[in-house]
């Protein structure tokens, strides 16, 4: 049902040119006017070729990949409960 997608941060020189042209590479999620970057999502299966294509336009400074999918998000609590030591 859901397709696997990966995040990409694209640092740009000209945000107006980037806003229109980046939509053909994937879903543009956020544009920062102050820091001049665009956060976008692309299909994981086409990630490498999309990154190579994104480095070609003249308005792109740098393309960074997001490692959010690789970070462990399941947490466990192995720390003992210390509330019984601090009760009156």
């Amino acid at each position: 049902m859901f397709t696997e997608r990966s995040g990409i941060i694209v640092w740009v020189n000209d945000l107006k040119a980037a806003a229109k042209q980046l939509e053909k590479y994937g879903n543009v999620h956020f544009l920062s006017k102050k820091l001049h970057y665009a956060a976008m999502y692309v299909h994981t299966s086409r990630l490498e070729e999309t990154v190579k294509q994104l480095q070609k336009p003249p308005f792109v400074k740098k393309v960074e990949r997001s490692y959010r999918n690789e970070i462990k998000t399941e947490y466990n609590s192995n720390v003992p409960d210390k509330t019984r030591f601090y009760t009156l």
Side-chain angles (χ1 to χ4, degrees), residues 4-71:
E4 289 292 322
R5 61 185 190 162
S6 297
I8 295 178
I9 305 297
V10 182
W11 298 91
V12 295
N13 294 326
D14 185 16
L15 197 63
K16 286 185 180 180
K20 293 180 182 178
Q21 291 189 10
L22 288 178
E23 289 183 1
K24 63 183 173 183
Y25 297 106
N27 295 336
V28 177
H29 182 70
F30 179 74
L31 293 169
S32 173
K33 293 179 183 177
K34 185 176 181 181
L35 298 177
H36 295 286
Y37 74 88
M40 59 186 298
Y41 289 105
V42 297
H43 292 286
T44 304
S45 60
R46 295 182 292 170
L47 179 66
E48 294 301 322
E49 69 182 50
T50 305
V51 169
K52 288 179 185 176
Q53 290 175 355
L54 280 170
Q55 293 173 346
K56 291 180 183 177
F59 58 85
V60 175
K61 287 185 197 175
K62 181 171 61 167
V63 179
E64 293 180 356
R65 189 173 160 244
S66 173
Y67 294 101
R68 185 175 184 198
N69 293 345
E70 298 172 9
I71 295 174

